[in-house]
Amino acid sequence: MDYQAELVSNFSSIVVPVAIIVVAGLVLLRGVKIVSQSQAIVVERLGKYHRTLEGGFHFIVPFLDIVRSEITKQEQTIDIEKQNVITKDNVNISVDGIVFIQVQTAKDATYGVVNFKSAIANLATTSLRAEIGQLALDESLSSRDMLNKRILASLDEATQKWGVKTMRVELRDISVPQEIEDAMNLQMKAEREKRAIELNALAEKEAVIRKAEANKQRQVLEAEAIERMADAKKYEQIEVAKGQSEAVALINSAVANNSLGADFLLAKDRISAFNELAKSPSKDKIVVPYETTELIGSLSLITEFLQKKA
């Protein structure tokens, strides 16, 4: 009996320290938290929010403190599944997209909504339907950037209270029914042909206008040239008339000062005419003055006039 009591006593002395060590190990294991830089851990104490553990080493009280959620602070993506949307002009199109988000406050993301990713996906779908429903088909296809910005603004306003920041929204694909696509292709072809006809008509119009301008410019230049030639001829005639007037004035002055002046000019003209006749190459001619005495008188008159001038 003494041996059994001693054995039980020795076993108890060993088990108790081991149990204490095991409990202490469990406490340390459950209490020590090493958090990554890209994560945040929400801790509750007795069912109530206690604190948020950021990146680094932390210790919580086991059994009193529990981890409510572990949330990544990196940017995340949420797919908007392909869905049918009706445009303003009653065309059924298929649209899908993607939303980029980032958790700003882990506490609000944990307690503000049950599942923030699911809530944002549903909200993005609703916003997408509402925005496209306000646009016609052509506007929906050509205004993708505008749609992205509008949906982003709508989502960001709603997700702020959930501690989530909506970074950007991208619509990946907008598909239209085949018959609508065929009609659009025909319309684009007609528009291109119409544009080509308009460009050809505009080019012909420009050519006609430029040709008319060239003809007008040519006529103006020709009129200017004729006017300048007329001015030059007029100037020439005026100068010739002035010269003749001055010559007549000089002759009149000479005749007035010398009574033989008029006879001198007449005799000079007669001699000049006689010289021209004498230069004729014809051999069958005889030049006989009408009055030989008048010719002799003219020569003597010239001699007398020259002597007086000397």
Side-chain angles (χ1 to χ4, degrees):
M1 293 297 293
D2 293 339
Y3 175 75
Q4 291 179 349
E6 183 180 358
L7 183 62
V8 171
S9 176
N10 290 335
F11 179 77
S12 299
S13 63
I14 294 174
V15 169
V16 172
V18 170
I20 294 174
I21 292 173
V22 170
V23 170
L26 291 174
V27 169
L28 289 175
L29 183 63
R30 292 177 61 89
V32 173
K33 296 294 180 183
I34 299 176
V35 184
S36 172
Q37 180 67 33
S38 62
Q39 286 187 322
I41 296 178
V42 176
V43 177
E44 290 181 348
R45 175 169 290 181
L46 300 176
K48 186 178 181 180
Y49 171 76
H50 179 55
R51 60 175 174 154
T52 300
L53 306 181
E54 302 291 342
F57 177 84
H58 300 275
F59 183 81
I60 62 175
V61 179
F63 308 108
L64 294 179
D65 297 339
I66 62 171
V67 175
R68 176 67 173 78
S69 63
E70 296 183 9
I71 297 177
T72 178
K73 296 190 296 183
Q74 293 176 309
E75 193 169 319
Q76 306 175 62
T77 60
I78 300 175
D79 288 332
I80 304 175
E81 296 182 358
K82 180 167 288 190
Q83 55 188 301
N84 293 328
V85 182
I86 299 177
T87 62
K88 185 178 180 180
D89 49 355
N90 297 323
V91 178
N92 195 344
I93 62 176
S94 298
V95 184
D96 66 347
I98 186 170
V99 180
F100 296 83
I101 63 169
Q102 187 175 35
V103 176
Q104 303 289 326
T105 307
K107 176 185 176 182
D108 294 336
T110 301
Y111 297 103
V113 65
V114 174
N115 186 331
F116 66 87
K117 284 189 174 182
S118 177
I120 292 174
N122 292 329
L123 183 60
T125 300
T126 304
S127 299
L128 178 60
R129 289 177 180 273
E131 294 297 336
I132 292 182
Q134 298 176 7
L135 301 176
L137 177 61
D138 293 341
E139 295 175 325
S140 301
L141 297 176
S142 61
S143 305
R144 185 172 299 189
D145 290 340
M146 182 187 68
L147 285 172
N148 291 338
K149 292 179 181 178
R150 287 185 178 180
I151 297 173
L152 174 62
S154 178
L155 290 177
D156 193 44
E157 182 181 358
T159 58
Q160 286 293 332
K161 61 182 180 181
W162 301 337
V164 179
K165 173 68 176 177
T166 305
M167 308 303 293
R168 60 190 181 276
V169 177
E170 297 291 341
L171 298 181
R172 288 182 297 195
D173 183 39
I174 300 178
S175 303
V176 298
Q178 187 61 43
E179 59 272 14
I180 300 297
E181 184 177 354
D182 294 339
M184 293 175 62
N185 291 333
L186 291 175
Q187 182 181 2
M188 286 188 292
K189 182 179 179 181
E191 288 292 335
R192 286 194 296 268
E193 292 177 352
K194 176 183 175 183
R195 183 59 179 167
I197 293 173
E198 290 177 351
L199 291 176
N200 290 334
L202 182 61
E204 292 177 358
K205 177 181 177 182
E206 290 291 333
V208 171
I209 292 175
R210 292 186 178 181
K211 185 176 180 180
E213 290 290 339
N215 291 333
K216 177 182 177 182
Q217 188 68 20
R218 179 178 58 81
Q219 293 175 0
V220 170
L221 294 176
E222 290 178 354
E224 290 180 353
I226 293 172
E227 182 180 1
R228 291 182 180 179
M229 291 178 63
D231 291 339
K233 188 173 182 180
K234 177 181 177 182
Y235 178 78
E236 180 184 2
Q237 291 177 349
I238 292 173
E239 292 300 320
V240 170
K242 287 182 179 180
Q244 292 176 350
S245 176
E246 292 177 357
V248 171
L250 291 175
I251 292 172
N252 290 336
S253 177
V255 171
N257 295 330
N258 191 340
S259 60
L260 297 177
D263 296 334
F264 169 76
L265 293 175
L266 181 59
K268 181 180 177 182
D269 290 338
R270 288 177 178 176
I271 293 172
S272 177
F274 181 78
N275 288 334
E276 292 297 327
L277 291 174
K279 291 178 182 179
S280 175
S282 178
K283 296 180 180 179
D284 301 329
K285 66 178 185 296
I286 299 174
V287 179
V288 180
Y290 180 72
E291 290 182 2
T292 305
T293 57
E294 290 186 0
L295 176 60
I296 296 171
S298 297
L299 293 176
S300 63
L301 182 62
I302 291 173
T303 302
E304 184 182 354
F305 180 77
L306 291 176
Q307 290 178 353
K308 287 185 178 182
K309 292 291 289 181

